[in-house]
């Protein structure tokens, strides 16, 4: 039973408003959740409710979403018996009444759903990751994917690809993986500084150098991995990309470093990248509307690199089912706020597991200090988490939560 539910308008890591939700239990204990927010969002994501009042936060205020939690959602949930999280999430979805959670706001709903998951974990006297673990799944510490170079919608530089991540696939455990991430990050800062590039940070804590060509970033990254004393590749530190191609797809072409590329050209470019660099995973290599391109990309490269759908699939079980059916990718990115409830997120992950698809749990570019996704990645045993650079408090909080989980358990580390 929920005794009290309140939301407040607080700031996210970009200084924009978001919701903090507090759920109080009858025994006086309470749990909190912070709601993340994206910048390069997929068009089919659940809808964030923003006020649109230009006099406050340039229209980005969340007073209405906060009001929906404090009034309608609190009235709906308070005092009622809910046997499990699924029943809470079902009540939220039904009360909202839209397909996209646009009425009450996916930001309002997801905050309540995350807080409710924490409440059930507390009542069961279990850590959140253990509560979230589906029956028959072995929890594990995921391979952290540190986003160390930022471009696209996450930085003011001219780099078109949004994210260049390092993934310590070969680390013996999570703590050593975090150490590798931080040491390569430091080596990369030295490399960039030596070449005269600015070492200011983008939204996710990666450097944002004025480099045009993605291949030039990759060369620097391989050098930094080597400088730090690691082996580039599967047995050491590999690289993962999130070009977020929907952001540079215009008029039927991909616009990269001054060139205009067809879907076929773009696929050939990735093929060349995979041949030349230790890139093990490519997310949103093509635009969300280019489904035929995705099918071709998967046929051509699916055996050699993980192909992750983010904007393409938006953590939506129905769209992921279609992606599986059409062989349009080999993995799904998992963002709780893209679909709006924890239960639907777990459903999407189940579909992936059953189809042999990998899953990478993900933060958003606008984050809070909330560490929910660390527990989600561990509990579901998916083996992959991306939550920014090994820098900036809101990113580091998640990695530190993983370290804490590892220290208090004997869970395995690595890809599922
Ligand atoms: P977003 O970007 O949170 O700004 O949408 C993250 C991503 O594309 O993976
Ligand atoms: Zn993405």
């Amino acid at each position: 039973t929920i005794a009290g539910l309140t939301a407040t308008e607080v700031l996210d890591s970009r200084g924009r408003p978001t919701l903090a939700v507090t759920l109080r239990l009858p025994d006086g204990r309470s749990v909190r959740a912070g709601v993340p927010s994206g910048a390069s969002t997929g068009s089919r994501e659940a809808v964030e409710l923003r006020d649109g009042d230009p006099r406050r936060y340039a229209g980005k205020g969340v007073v209405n979403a906060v009001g929906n939690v404090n009034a309608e959602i609190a009235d709906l949930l308070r005092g009622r018996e809910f046997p499990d999280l699924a029943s809470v999430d079902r009540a939220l979805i039904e009360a909202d009444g839209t397909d996209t959670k646009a009425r009450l706001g996916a930001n309002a709903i997801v905050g309540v759903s995350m807080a409710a998951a924490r409440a059930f974990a507390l009542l069961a006297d279990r850590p959140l990751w253990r509560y979230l673990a589906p029956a028959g799944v072995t929890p594990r510490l995921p391979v952290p994917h540190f986003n160390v170079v930022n471009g696209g919608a996450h930085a003011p530089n001219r780099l078109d690809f949004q994210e260049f991540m390092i993934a310590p696939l070969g680390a013996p455990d999570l703590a050593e993986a975090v150490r590798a991430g931080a040491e390569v990050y430091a080596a990369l800062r030295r490399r960039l500084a030596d070449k005269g590039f600015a070492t200011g940070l983008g939204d996710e804590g990666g450097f944002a150098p004025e480099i045009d060509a993605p291949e030039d970033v990759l060369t620097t990254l391989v050098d930094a991995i080597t400088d730090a004393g690691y082996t580039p590749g599967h047995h050491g530190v590999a690289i993962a990309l999130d070009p977020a191609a929907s952001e540079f797809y215009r008029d039927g072409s991909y616009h990269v470093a001054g060139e205009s590329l067809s879907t076929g050209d773009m696929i050939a470019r990735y093929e060349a990248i995979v041949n030349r660099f230790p890139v093990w995973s490519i997310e949103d290599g093509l635009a969300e509307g280019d489904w035929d391109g995705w099918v071709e990309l998967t046929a051509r490269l699916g055996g050699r690199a993980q192909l992750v759908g983010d904007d393409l699939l938006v953590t939506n079980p129905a769209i992921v089912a279609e992606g599986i059916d059409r062989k349009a990718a080999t993995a799904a990115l998992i963002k709780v706020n893209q679909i709006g409830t924890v239960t639907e997120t777990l459903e999407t992950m189940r579909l992936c597991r059953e189809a042999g698809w990998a899953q990478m749990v993900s933060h958003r570019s606008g984050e809070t200090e909330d560490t929910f996704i660390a527990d989600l990645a561990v509990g579901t045993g998916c083996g992959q988490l991306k939550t920014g650079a090994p820098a900036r408090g809101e990113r580091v909080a998640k990695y530190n939560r993983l370290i804490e989980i590892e220290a208090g358990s004997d869970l395995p580390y690595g890809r599922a």
Side-chain angles (χ1 to χ4, degrees):
T1 323
I2 292 167
L5 188 64
T6 52
T8 324
E9 184 179 50
V10 297
L11 296 182
D12 74 11
S13 56
R14 270 193 284 253
R16 291 190 191 150
T18 188
L19 292 88
V21 174
T22 302
L23 189 160
R24 204 160 37 77
L25 294 166
D27 62 14
R29 290 183 296 176
S30 65
V31 288
R32 281 168 65 80
V35 175
S37 173
S40 63
T41 50
S43 63
R44 296 209 273 176
E45 292 194 21
V47 175
E48 263 181 358
L49 188 60
R50 298 266 177 199
D51 298 333
D53 174 356
R55 291 165 304 177
R56 297 187 72 255
Y57 291 114
K60 293 200 179 298
V62 291
V63 170
N64 290 302
V66 163
N68 288 343
V69 175
N70 291 336
E72 191 173 333
I73 297 177
D75 288 347
L76 174 78
L77 301 184
R78 213 185 302 115
R80 251 170 86 182
E81 284 295 335
F82 290 100
D84 53 20
L85 180 63
S87 60
V88 173
D89 287 344
R90 209 174 309 120
L92 292 168
I93 291 165
E94 279 169 19
D96 174 75
T98 69
D99 285 343
T100 53
K101 303 184 176 69
R103 193 180 72 80
L104 293 170
N107 42 355
I109 291 171
V110 82
V112 174
S113 180
M114 290 160 70
R118 283 210 168 95
F120 280 109
L122 194 61
L123 289 168
D125 202 20
R126 293 180 146 203
L128 181 60
W129 60 267
R130 206 181 277 285
Y131 171 75
L132 292 173
V137 163
T138 310
R140 59 193 303 124
L141 275 314
V143 176
H145 286 64
F146 301 99
N147 183 5
V148 294
V149 175
N150 296 181
H154 293 169
N157 57 0
R158 52 178 193 252
L159 182 62
D160 298 300
F161 281 20
Q162 180 178 280
E163 304 176 14
F164 294 76
M165 292 168 273
I166 47 173
L169 293 176
D173 58 30
L174 185 275
E176 286 298 302
V178 168
R179 182 184 145 211
E183 289 178 354
V184 173
Y185 183 72
L188 180 61
R189 176 189 274 118
R190 285 192 296 274
R191 277 261 165 198
L192 291 171
D194 285 351
K195 290 185 181 181
F197 290 114
T199 52
L201 306 183
D203 285 355
E204 298 189 347
F207 303 113
E210 288 291 354
I211 299 177
D212 291 290
E215 290 81 0
D216 292 341
V217 176
L218 287 166
T219 301
T220 311
L221 216 41
V222 169
D223 289 342
I225 293 168
T226 310
D227 288 350
Y230 295 92
T231 309
H234 272 82
H235 299 292
V237 178
I239 296 173
L241 296 175
D242 178 7
S246 300
E247 300 287 326
F248 55 81
Y249 184 67
R250 285 183 301 277
D251 312 319
S253 303
Y254 293 91
H255 298 268
V256 180
E259 287 179 70
S260 176
L261 306 171
S262 68
T263 297
D265 295 339
M266 199 68 226
I267 293 172
R269 184 84 171 248
Y270 291 129
E271 202 158 21
I273 283 175
V274 169
N275 285 338
R276 187 170 152 210
F277 299 101
V279 169
W280 93 277
S281 176
I282 303 172
E283 173 188 333
D284 281 357
L286 297 175
E288 62 168 66
D290 192 2
W291 275 75
D292 292 341
W294 274 92
V295 171
E296 190 187 332
L297 175 69
T298 303
R300 290 257 297 270
L301 273 190
R304 298 169 57 209
Q306 171 176 271
L307 302 170
V308 189
D310 171 15
D311 290 355
L312 181 77
L313 305 169
V314 294
T315 317
N316 184 309
I319 302 174
V320 166
E322 188 185 342
I324 290 168
D325 201 43
R326 293 185 59 178
K327 295 187 171 49
T330 65
L333 201 74
I334 303 295
K335 292 167 166 169
V336 181
N337 82 323
Q338 273 184 330
I339 184 68
T341 65
V342 175
T343 301
E344 290 164 289
T345 303
L346 293 170
E347 165 67 5
T348 297
M349 296 182 82
R350 186 184 62 80
L351 285 177
C352 290
R353 273 198 309 278
E354 287 176 358
W357 270 33
Q359 309 120 65
M360 187 188 291
V361 171
S362 170
H363 65 158
R364 299 309 302 247
S365 50
E367 267 293 336
T368 73
E369 61 281 14
D370 190 296
T371 59
F372 192 95
I373 56 169
D375 284 71
L376 177 66
V378 171
T380 55
C382 69
Q384 303 180 42
L385 173 70
K386 72 164 193 177
T387 183
R392 295 183 57 138
E394 76 282 3
R395 316 292 150 184
V396 167
K398 281 73 161 170
Y399 296 124
N400 286 346
R401 173 64 181 149
L402 294 180
I403 291 173
E404 179 183 52
I405 294 172
E406 180 171 69
S409 69
D410 52 8
L411 296 176
Y413 164 80
R415 279 173 64 194

